[in-house]
Amino acid sequence: DGFRMDVAHGVPYDFWDECIPALMKTKKVFMLAEAEKEHLRNTSGFAADYGWAFHHLMNEIAEGKKNAADINTWYQEYREKYTKGFHIHFTSNHDENSWNGTEFERMAEGHKAFAVLASTFDGMPLVYSGQEEPLRRRLKFFEKDVIGFKNYQYADFYRTLLSLKKQNKALKNDMNASKTIIWETANPNVIAYSRQGMGDALFTIINLSPIQQSVEFAIEGLEGPYENIFGNSTISLGPNAKFNLKPWDYLVLSRAQSN
């Protein structure tokens, strides 16, 4: 149970400072700020906010204005600013869809690669209504506009990502229990990162470009067998990893203990 507070940054912060602690005395609820301000999470008590800066960075990478290497810079700045709570990551939402276009307009062939990034990176994933269909048009913002569910072409794709978050405890939203590492690939178009926590591990590598990429780098401490969640296979990682990635390709490897 919880509340999504629209335009939370438009309300004086001292209101939230008083409101949320009082509310929690009545019932513990999840407070989501439709905003991205340090005070709302660090001080006021919101559990999560919208990862707008990360979303805009993904759009810029899709457009070729920035690349995967810029994610590491953003992440270091983000961790310095925020001491509590988590970002909600997304490739689309009601504002983006209506005003800036669908993920297909903004991210083209890379839309799945960015969805994998948003779902497995440090934070919480958001799936917007119609992405599982998929919705390939902008919805009218102030009028009833039916999505028209019929095919559910991407339902399994999103189900796999959301199920992974429940199955692998390294994705648990606990800053003290989960550790995220971005690995140096020496390739600005490829991001590789791991998440470890509570005995589980996740390794993800994504080609965030429309060109085939090859990388080889050291990944100490991650050796062993993993489940390829999109390949129904087992892959073993050694201390030195080599990958050949097609345009907008991704590989998500999970090692989770039985619950």
Side-chain angles (χ1 to χ4, degrees):
D1 294 339
F3 297 98
R4 171 195 176 276
M5 310 309 296
D6 194 53
V7 198
H9 58 285
V11 176
Y13 292 167
D14 58 356
F15 171 79
W16 299 123
D17 295 344
E18 183 178 353
C19 169
I20 295 178
L23 179 62
M24 292 299 179
K25 291 180 181 178
T26 302
K27 181 178 181 179
K28 299 294 183 183
V29 293
F30 187 88
M31 296 296 292
L32 169 61
E34 195 258 339
E36 189 174 21
K37 299 291 182 181
E38 296 98 306
H39 181 91
L40 295 177
R41 274 178 37 194
N42 295 346
T43 305
S44 294
F46 280 94
D49 62 9
Y50 277 44
W52 283 110
F54 189 63
H55 175 74
H56 294 151
L57 175 56
M58 288 192 288
N59 282 338
E60 290 180 299
I61 294 173
E63 294 170 2
K65 297 179 180 178
K66 293 191 176 181
N67 57 42
D70 291 302
I71 295 175
N72 192 28
T73 301
W74 168 84
Y75 187 61
Q76 297 306 317
E77 294 176 352
Y78 161 62
R79 275 292 162 225
E80 290 179 4
K81 290 180 180 179
Y82 292 87
T83 59
K84 298 179 181 178
F86 301 91
H87 274 336
I88 298 287
H89 293 313
F90 50 89
T91 59
S92 188
N93 63 25
H94 67 291
D95 286 306
E96 283 295 294
N97 171 272
S98 293
W99 307 124
N100 297 318
T102 68
E103 62 271 32
F104 305 103
E105 292 179 75
R106 291 176 286 100
M107 299 174 170
E109 294 300 317
H111 66 94
K112 278 191 174 182
F114 288 107
V116 169
L117 176 62
S119 297
T120 60
F121 200 61
D122 189 353
M124 298 181 178
L126 177 152
V127 178
Y128 176 56
S129 294
Q131 288 193 279
E132 70 274 47
E133 175 55 22
L135 177 65
R136 295 184 179 273
R137 63 182 178 85
R138 303 186 187 194
L139 291 175
K140 298 176 183 178
F141 199 81
F142 295 109
E143 300 176 32
K144 181 177 180 180
D145 194 355
V146 178
I147 291 173
F149 287 102
K150 182 180 179 182
N151 298 315
Y152 298 97
Q153 180 182 350
Y154 293 149
D156 287 342
F157 171 74
Y158 286 107
R159 186 181 294 114
T160 297
L161 288 172
L162 296 179
S163 296
L164 175 67
K165 186 165 180 64
K166 292 184 178 182
Q167 296 165 356
N168 191 308
K169 291 186 284 294
L171 298 182
K172 182 178 175 64
N173 289 108
D174 185 336
M175 297 177 70
N176 297 317
S178 181
K179 178 177 67 173
T180 300
I181 297 176
I182 299 178
W183 296 89
E184 176 55 58
T185 67
N187 185 323
N189 296 303
V190 176
I191 183 170
Y193 53 93
S194 61
R195 299 187 65 183
Q196 294 175 277
M198 302 177 69
D200 289 356
L202 186 84
F203 177 81
T204 305
I205 184 167
I206 310 173
N207 177 7
L208 293 176
S209 81
I211 301 172
Q212 183 168 327
Q213 305 287 344
S214 295
V215 293
E216 185 174 1
F217 55 96
I219 47 173
E220 297 179 2
L222 291 176
E223 298 89 346
Y226 289 79
E227 175 192 1
N228 177 6
I229 70 163
F230 286 109
N232 295 319
S233 62
T234 299
I235 294 179
S236 291
L237 291 180
N240 292 298
K242 185 175 183 179
F243 302 93
N244 292 309
L245 301 167
K246 298 177 182 178
W248 305 113
D249 201 4
Y250 49 85
L251 183 66
V252 182
L253 304 180
S254 172
R255 184 169 65 203
Q257 300 176 350
S258 300
N259 294 324

